[in-house]
Amino acid sequence: MLIISTVLALLMGVAVIFIRFKASERPVNAKKIILPPLFMSTGALMYVFPYFRITPVEIAEAIVIGALFSIFLIKTSKFEISNGEIYMKRSKAFAIVIIALLCIRLGLKVFFSTSTTPGELGGMFWLIAFFMIVPWRVAMYAQYRKLESSLKIKTETI
């Protein structure tokens, strides 16, 4: 089971990189930034079941790790204005960061899988992912709004 979940995680990481590079070819809008964390938030329903519940200490650890990981995503996500529209800037560093974070998460998963149940592990890693994505998307949204307002100012002065 550990091998299958590790392979699936690697495939998902590669898919994220390809999706990100394809997305940089199309203009960004607020909805594309805000919706992924909202869709992901439905995963919190797993905590309804005792099998996935984690302790307050594990919750705090997951939040801190997720927030720390988000810093790397924030630093490698930039926007640019092209042809009067806002685009995500392609970054080779982003691919490296995604792969590094994925490897770290997989290492942590293997390490904790010896002392934690699969349900608790799933609960922890969902929380890590959520607290990695939310600050990243909030920072992206703030950066997007700033560029959007400067774009509006430029078009109004022309």
Side-chain angles (χ1 to χ4, degrees):
M1 188 66 151
L2 184 63
I3 293 171
I4 292 170
S5 66
T6 301
V7 169
L8 287 174
L10 287 171
L11 290 174
M12 286 173 47
V14 170
V16 165
I17 292 167
F18 283 112
I19 290 169
R20 171 72 183 271
F21 282 143
K22 287 298 261 181
S24 67
E25 297 170 1
R26 292 182 300 276
V28 177
N29 60 42
K31 199 165 43 168
K32 289 179 183 178
I33 295 169
I34 295 170
L35 287 179
L38 289 177
F39 294 148
M40 187 182 174
S41 68
T42 60
L45 290 173
M46 80 171 95
Y47 297 114
V48 169
F49 303 100
Y51 183 69
F52 295 103
R53 291 186 191 146
I54 53 180
T55 67
V57 171
E58 291 168 331
I59 291 170
E61 290 171 346
I63 290 171
V64 168
I65 291 170
L68 289 174
F69 283 0
S70 74
I71 293 168
F72 297 104
L73 295 173
I74 292 166
K75 293 290 184 190
T76 57
S77 298
K78 303 288 180 228
F79 294 108
E80 63 186 353
I81 298 173
S82 178
N83 301 323
E85 296 189 278
I86 301 171
Y87 289 83
M88 198 70 175
K89 199 184 274 190
R90 268 197 170 175
S91 168
K92 290 179 185 175
F94 180 80
I96 293 166
V97 165
I98 287 291
I99 291 168
L101 291 175
L102 183 62
C103 290
I104 292 168
R105 284 184 62 191
L106 290 174
L108 289 171
K109 183 175 146 188
V110 169
F111 177 76
F112 286 117
S113 67
T114 59
S115 62
T116 309
T117 68
E120 290 172 329
L121 205 56
M124 276 189 76
F125 279 90
W126 180 88
L127 206 55
I128 288 172
F130 190 71
F131 277 91
M132 182 171 65
I133 289 172
V134 169
W136 173 43
R137 292 297 176 140
V138 167
M140 284 175 65
Y141 184 72
Q143 185 183 6
Y144 171 80
R145 296 296 286 180
K146 186 176 177 184
L147 270 178
E148 185 182 47
S149 67
S150 73
L151 189 61
K152 285 179 183 175
I153 291 169
K154 285 181 185 177
T155 56
E156 289 173 3
T157 57
I158 292 176

